[in-house]
Amino acid sequence: MKDRLDEQTIALRAAREFTDGSVVNLGYGMPGLCANLIPGDRTVFFQSENGMLGYGILATDEEKDYELINASDQPVTPLPGMCFFDSAAAFDMIRGGHIDIVVLGAYQVSETGGLANWGRPGRPATGMGGGMDLAVGAKKVIVTMLHTTKDGGPRIVGNCTYPLTARRCVSLIITDLAVMEVTENGLVLKEIAPGWTVPEVQALTEADIKPAEDLKEIEL
Amino acid sequence: MTINKIFNSCDEAVADIFDGATVMIGGFGSYGGLPINLIVALSKQGAKALTIIANMGGVGYELSHRIKPGGYQDSGILFENGQVRKFIGSVPALGGMPPTSPLERLFNEGKVEIEMVPQGTLAERLRGGAGGLGGFYTPVGVGTTVEEGKEKKVINGREYILELPLTADFALIKAHKADAVGNLVYRQTARCFNPVMAMAAKTTIVEVDEMVPTGRLDPEVIVTPHIYVNRIVEVPA
């Protein structure tokens, strides 16, 4: 078995997309790790659906304050300049295009950037939370996910078979095997995990992927 | 002005919640901002066939230990008690948790109805109810199961769906401080859905960490104006 990237490394790769001064929302699960991984030369303002802008890294057990949490229930730390607001204002920011980047998890992403990240077979009561609003409203949607299911089946597909979060919303997919851009002409493979070949990644991907001319290894 | 909004206990404050009532429950989902003492009082009071409007369906006391050591009660207890007919919210159950939250269990048994609403749409439907609007068009949910049965409209070349306002008979909310007339301030992320629910319900009942004399709260920082608050219970943290 070849090595795949671990979650920390996937999140680190996603955090490299955060430009200086950007407003970023982090979704449930793996994306939350990005809060601790901002490149040192940049300032990023993290926004959270429960009404907070400008929070810091995740809190340690000693620092925990249950009235200072992100939308994934993780206690976070305060930063100078942070502010609070209610849920309606939080989603004005989100729907209104005031969030530069959102990082979301996914069950499936389609070749046209369709996202399925909230419902799965056998669990009809799990909800979409703020995922639909974020997928529709953020200027750039980055997905961090594992490339395949537990059984090795594809999760980057022609058409999503799980309930859709939004159509044509994802612009960058970062997995444990690859970094792919969603373009007008389909998925372009920009970076590949060390030791993996394009045909090997394609074999685990239902959608067609085109290697970029400047395809490179994911920097660890 | 002789209206007294201050109640001595959560039990007294929720005593008249009736069978079949629609009740908003503030907070976000987990511990911070939840009106836990009012929820427990409603569970003891026993009103049935309730429609609950809340962001999350609650995880129940058992699973709450994963979120906070020692655990806490949330709206899960209302489902466990069989007090709820319908839930309206964005996260009835957490995908990461096994299907053992009280609401998910009852839903799977066909005993509770769920209306799934994207979280921003939920906030805006509450604001619509609070502000006397007939509804609004949002791009959120287009092309998904959320659009089923809803009017669609193209505005400036973009597809939108019509969403309708939400109101309620009661809102149970949590704030940090209240003065005697009912002005409220919140603490950090415990604000979340509380202010917009306070505005959208006929009768808003708030539990606060601390009561202060009227005039003590800086008028520049009051978040919820007192006209939206009907009953106040002090429950020191």
Side-chain angles (χ1 to χ4, degrees):
Chain A
M1 283 287 279
K2 291 189 185 191
D3 281 345
R4 295 180 173 213
L5 306 189
D6 60 16
E7 294 200 348
Q8 196 76 15
T9 309
I10 298 171
L12 182 65
R13 177 62 191 83
R16 287 196 199 125
E17 296 294 314
F18 303 166
T19 48
D20 194 31
S22 55
V23 179
V24 176
N25 182 295
L26 302 174
Y28 195 78
M30 204 189 326
L33 299 172
C34 297
N36 285 4
L37 300 171
I38 312 172
D41 56 342
R42 295 170 215 176
T43 301
V44 171
F45 301 103
F46 287 119
Q47 193 258 14
S48 187
E49 299 96 294
N50 52 338
M52 171 170 59
L53 179 64
Y55 64 88
I57 61 173
L58 303 178
T60 62
D61 279 349
E62 295 74 52
E63 293 168 330
K64 263 185 191 176
D65 177 344
Y66 289 94
E67 292 185 339
L68 188 63
I69 58 168
N70 65 23
S72 304
D73 282 335
Q74 296 166 311
V76 298
T77 50
L79 276 184
M82 76 184 300
C83 55
F84 303 107
F85 33 88
D86 70 23
S87 292
F91 281 93
D92 283 345
M93 289 181 191
I94 290 167
R95 267 190 322 266
H98 307 283
I99 307 298
D100 296 308
I101 296 170
V102 62
V103 186
L104 295 171
Y107 293 128
Q108 294 178 324
V109 177
S110 80
E111 60 191 0
T112 56
L115 172 66
N117 80 343
W118 62 277
R120 56 193 160 114
R123 298 291 304 279
T126 61
M128 68 288 283
M132 286 190 177
D133 306 87
L134 285 159
V136 167
K139 288 184 198 153
K140 178 173 183 172
V141 178
I142 298 174
V143 163
T144 58
M145 67 192 294
L146 300 180
H147 206 93
T148 52
T149 64
K150 275 185 191 141
D151 311 326
R155 295 172 57 170
I156 296 155
V157 294
N159 281 300
C160 295
T161 53
Y162 284 29
L164 210 58
T165 306
R167 300 183 300 208
R168 295 180 182 277
C169 61
V170 178
S171 49
L172 193 69
I173 309 166
I174 303 173
T175 76
D176 48 351
L177 296 182
V179 178
M180 287 154 291
E181 215 170 68
V182 183
T183 73
E184 299 268 307
N185 304 313
L187 300 180
V188 174
L189 180 64
K190 301 285 286 182
E191 298 172 30
I192 192 164
W196 287 76
T197 66
V198 176
E200 286 168 343
V201 173
Q202 177 66 75
L204 298 172
T205 311
E206 184 189 292
D208 283 337
I209 46 175
K210 296 175 199 64
E213 282 175 19
D214 59 346
L215 173 67
K216 55 183 183 187
E217 269 193 1
I218 299 174
E219 226 175 281
L220 301 182
Chain B
M1 243 267 303
T2 55
I3 299 172
N4 179 24
K5 296 182 176 179
I6 301 165
F7 280 61
N8 289 321
S9 72
C10 291
D11 292 338
E12 288 170 54
V14 305
D16 64 345
I17 295 182
F18 49 89
D19 289 356
T22 298
V23 181
M24 293 169 178
I25 296 180
F28 187 73
S30 78
Y31 184 76
L34 264 190
I36 288 175
N37 296 285
L38 290 171
I39 294 169
V40 170
L42 179 57
S43 77
K44 288 191 285 178
Q45 189 260 26
K48 289 197 168 39
L50 301 173
T51 295
I52 297 293
I53 302 175
N55 182 43
M56 275 172 66
V59 296
Y61 183 68
E62 201 182 312
L63 287 179
S64 74
H65 290 76
R66 294 196 199 175
I67 294 167
K68 187 173 188 284
Y72 58 91
Q73 289 288 3
D74 63 13
S75 53
I77 191 171
L78 302 174
F79 297 104
E80 252 163 1
N81 287 353
Q83 291 176 266
V84 184
R85 183 182 66 78
K86 182 177 180 182
F87 172 81
I88 302 174
S90 85
V91 187
L94 285 172
M97 297 249 188
T100 49
S101 80
L103 170 55
E104 185 163 13
R105 203 161 55 232
L106 289 174
F107 176 76
N108 289 343
E109 291 167 8
K111 290 175 181 162
V112 178
E113 191 186 331
I114 289 178
E115 181 179 337
M116 202 95 80
V117 185
Q119 197 172 113
T121 298
L122 179 65
E124 201 58 23
R125 289 178 69 188
L126 293 165
R127 188 154 64 179
L133 298 179
F136 58 94
Y137 290 96
T138 176
V140 177
V142 169
T144 76
T145 52
V146 168
E147 74 170 29
E148 285 167 12
K150 290 173 186 161
E151 182 196 322
K152 285 177 85 172
K153 189 166 187 163
V154 176
I155 302 171
N156 295 329
R158 191 176 189 191
E159 272 186 291
Y160 294 82
I161 55 179
L162 175 65
E163 293 282 3
L164 301 179
L166 285 170
T167 55
D169 299 300
F170 298 91
L172 310 183
I173 68 160
K174 163 79 198 287
H176 183 43
K177 291 181 185 178
D179 64 17
V181 291
N183 291 306
L184 303 180
V185 295
Y186 300 84
R187 186 170 174 271
Q188 305 179 148
T189 52
R191 187 182 306 191
C192 45
F193 272 93
N194 288 305
V196 75
M197 286 185 174
M199 294 163 68
K202 283 188 208 124
T203 299
T204 292
I205 309 169
V206 58
E207 63 173 88
V208 297
D209 298 324
E210 189 186 349
M211 288 289 309
V212 299
T214 299
R216 184 72 61 81
L217 297 176
D218 179 353
E220 296 286 358
V221 303
I222 287 167
V223 175
T224 296
H226 61 81
I227 55 166
Y228 296 115
V229 176
N230 303 93
R231 302 173 189 173
I232 311 161
V233 187
E234 186 182 34
V235 184

